[in-house]
Amino acid sequence: MGIDEGKSFSVKVVDNVVVHAHEPCNNHWLPFTNLDLLVAPFDVGSFFCYKKPSHGSFSTIINTLKASLSRALSLYYPLAGEILWNVDARENQIHCNNRGVDFTEAVADVQLKQLNLYNPDESIEGKLIPKKLHGVLAIQVTELKCGGMVIGCMFDHRAADGYSANMFISSWADITRSGSPSMLPSFNRSFFNPRFPTTYSSSIDDVFAIFEPPTKPDHDQNHENDDLLINRVYYIEGKQLGRVQSLAIENERRRSKELKGMSLSQIATEVHEFLQIATTKEHFVDLIDWVEERRSQPLVARAFASRDMSVMISSGQRFQIMDKMDFGWGKVAFGSCHVPSSRKDCYVMTLPSPTKNEDWVVYMHMPMKIMNYIEKHANHMFKPMNTEYLQI
């Protein structure tokens, strides 16, 4: 399973620089769309592991990455800016001022095959993925003892979701290979006009709320260790997925959810019908009107505003990103998202296996007691992620 629990490795920072867009755009403010204003102010990261390049020294690779990053930021110029309060607009917006991206160069005293991918709290956070202290994006490139490397990124989620972040990284990779980016971004805002007068269902208040940061730190609460949020990465084989999906079929409808007390197919149907409510045109029109009345206030999904346990589930299965993250020295050996340990909400993301299309990688940010339950009762499905699955 990689490095044993409790055993660690050292990381040395070699250099810190700020990389600016090569061709900066005119200094201007970029407003968020109506629905973007509902995104909570938190960071989310991703990291990509690579085997030892067949050519080029690490210093040469670093210089190449910084030069191509500068060119990529010319296309994705909001990522070189800052999220600030626009006094004239009376709301947070992205200030496209080419503040730049913090870029860290580091070396780690560990081999790629030794990384404890199952426990990113030990091996990734604070070591191979940077903290974002300024701007909306921070990047760290770390050389490993074996000559392999890890590229870690941390984004402000208000400026980039999983899809747009992967667009940027794959375009950066394309440019590094001296190619043209396969996808070009567009920052033309498609604002959804509210109705006049605004009107919406009271059910919106059950889902979204005004964001109120806590007035006192959470450490004064008596948390048991089992309630502490931890990060884990699991591997699920395709044959196990097929078995669960077959159990979720009812009346030839394919579902894939599970709860206690009902058959899997019944639960899948219930969840599907519940989610349909939030996918209708009426729901989004109501939501736009709700946001319009509160634009100057920080908004958030109610799940993030509550002290009760909330879980955000995201699917990265259709991103198909692994083949696009080739910077010129080979395909990704392993990649995953990462949520900072300071986040108080729970998060689950499924990702495609880098080696077998039918298999999954599952990242979880959940309470320790939930992880312990999964590993006790579902260890036939959730296998601790390790480098044996990566053919390295």
Side-chain angles (χ1 to χ4, degrees), residues 115-269:
L115 284 179
N116 188 346
L117 301 176
Y118 158 70
N119 182 359
D121 289 334
E122 174 198 310
S123 60
I124 303 300
E125 182 156 348
K127 293 185 176 181
L128 303 180
I129 198 167
K131 290 184 178 180
K132 185 185 66 59
L133 302 178
H134 309 285
V136 299
L137 168 62
I139 294 173
Q140 178 176 321
V141 182
T142 307
E143 183 183 28
L144 305 180
K145 192 175 182 180
C146 60
M149 68 183 69
V150 177
I151 297 179
C153 306
M154 189 66 75
F155 292 85
D156 189 314
H157 194 52
R158 295 171 295 176
D161 60 8
Y163 182 80
S164 55
N166 288 322
M167 273 186 63
F168 165 74
I169 298 173
S170 63
S171 295
W172 178 23
D174 290 339
I175 293 172
T176 306
R177 297 197 313 271
S178 299
S180 300
S182 56
M183 293 182 288
L184 295 175
S186 173
F187 302 109
N188 294 325
R189 295 317 205 194
S190 299
F191 287 96
F192 301 96
N193 294 321
R195 292 168 292 194
F196 184 80
T198 57
T199 179
Y200 48 85
S201 169
S202 60
S203 63
I204 299 295
D205 289 314
D206 296 331
V207 186
F208 297 96
I210 304 298
F211 176 70
E212 297 180 0
T215 56
K216 59 174 69 174
D218 200 37
H219 63 256
D220 59 339
Q221 296 188 6
N222 185 23
H223 287 307
E224 299 292 337
N225 286 338
D226 282 353
D227 292 325
L228 294 177
L229 294 177
I230 60 175
N231 293 293
R232 293 291 184 266
V233 181
Y234 298 98
Y235 195 89
I236 302 182
E237 296 177 352
K239 61 182 180 181
Q240 295 292 347
L241 291 170
R243 177 178 173 273
V244 171
Q245 289 172 342
S246 67
L247 293 174
I249 294 176
E250 183 178 50
N251 297 327
E252 299 184 354
R253 295 181 181 179
R254 188 173 180 179
R255 313 287 191 227
S256 56
K257 307 294 179 181
E258 180 178 4
L259 292 174
K260 185 178 179 181
M262 299 172 65
S263 71
L264 185 56
S265 61
Q266 290 174 319
I267 292 298
T269 299

Side-chain angles (χ1 to χ4, degrees), residues 337-373:
C337 62
H338 184 78
V339 169
S341 58
S342 58
R343 285 266 297 269
K344 301 302 181 185
D345 58 293
C346 302
Y347 184 74
V348 177
M349 173 172 268
T350 60
L351 296 160
S353 163
T355 55
K356 294 183 179 180
N357 293 334
E358 65 272 18
D359 295 353
W360 285 10
V361 172
V362 181
Y363 168 86
M364 293 188 182
H365 178 70
M366 300 280 282
M368 185 182 294
K369 62 183 177 183
I370 302 296
M371 301 294 195
N372 290 338
Y373 185 90

